[in-house]
């Protein structure tokens, strides 16, 4: 589930980055009002997609975070409880690091969608009509 949420978030980030690059090259250049109406419409479409996916992904993110916390806690418990050999120590350390990395990657990419959605809003005030 972590991978699915991460990939969806990366896709949304890419869309916002493409949109930002499209209007960033126009910084300081006058454009007609029709152009800005089209840009505003495109931004609304992307934002509507984010809102729709947010309604779907929010419960999934919550469940995934709870699951990740459970498995991280379980891995820590098993590492302390079991008699350790070099193989089991390597396994539990690798598994724990992988779980933490996976959870952090999902949280960071999904939270960065908001930051990426705000970036294009900086450009229109710097452009004259």
């Amino acid at each position: 589930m972590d991978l699915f949420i991460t990939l969806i978030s990366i896709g949304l980030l890419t869309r916002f980055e493409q949109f930002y690059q499209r209007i960033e090259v126009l910084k300081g250049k006058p454009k007609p009002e029709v152009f800005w109406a089209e840009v505003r419409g495109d931004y609304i479409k992307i934002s509507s997609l984010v809102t729709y996916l947010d309604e779907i992904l929010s419960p999934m993110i919550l469940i995934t975070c709870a699951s990740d916390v459970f498995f991280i806690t379980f891995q820590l418990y098993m590492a302390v409880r079991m008699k350790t050999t070099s193989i089991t120590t390597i396994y539990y350390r690798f598994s724990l690091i992988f779980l933490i990395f996976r959870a952090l990657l999902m949280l960071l990419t999904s939270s960065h969608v908001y930051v990426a959605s705000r970036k294009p809003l900086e450009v229109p005030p710097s452009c004259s009509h």
Side-chain angles (χ1 to χ4, degrees):
M1 202 53 86
D2 291 332
L3 183 62
F4 176 72
I5 294 169
T6 301
L7 291 176
I8 294 291
S9 299
I10 289 172
L12 292 172
L13 287 170
T14 303
R15 282 315 238 171
F16 275 115
E17 188 61 34
Q18 288 172 344
F19 180 78
Y20 176 73
Q21 289 173 357
R22 176 181 162 205
I23 63 172
E24 206 260 336
V25 295
L26 304 171
K27 207 177 221 178
K29 298 178 183 174
K31 285 291 184 183
E33 193 138 335
V34 174
F35 173 78
W36 290 113
E38 179 185 327
V39 167
R40 185 173 41 249
D42 291 344
Y43 184 79
I44 289 170
K45 287 177 187 175
I46 297 171
S47 296
S48 297
L49 177 63
V50 169
T51 302
Y52 173 73
L53 288 174
D54 185 47
E55 292 173 6
I56 295 170
L57 292 179
S58 291
M60 291 171 66
I61 291 172
L62 182 65
I63 291 169
T64 303
C65 285
S67 172
D68 288 344
V69 168
F70 171 77
F71 283 118
I72 289 169
T73 307
F74 182 74
Q75 287 289 346
L76 285 171
Y77 173 73
M78 292 303 289
V80 170
R81 186 167 182 242
M82 292 187 71
K83 295 179 181 171
T84 57
T85 62
S86 60
I87 298 293
T88 58
T89 302
I90 291 170
Y91 168 75
Y92 281 113
R93 285 184 182 170
F94 175 76
S95 180
L96 182 64
I97 290 169
F98 180 71
L99 282 168
I100 292 170
F101 173 75
R102 197 177 69 186
L104 287 176
L105 182 67
M106 182 215 32
L107 290 172
L108 290 174
T109 56
S110 59
S111 68
H112 195 66
V113 172
Y114 174 77
V115 174
S117 72
R118 306 304 291 173
K119 196 174 176 183
L121 298 177
E122 300 168 0
V123 174
S126 66
C127 298
S128 54
H129 297 337

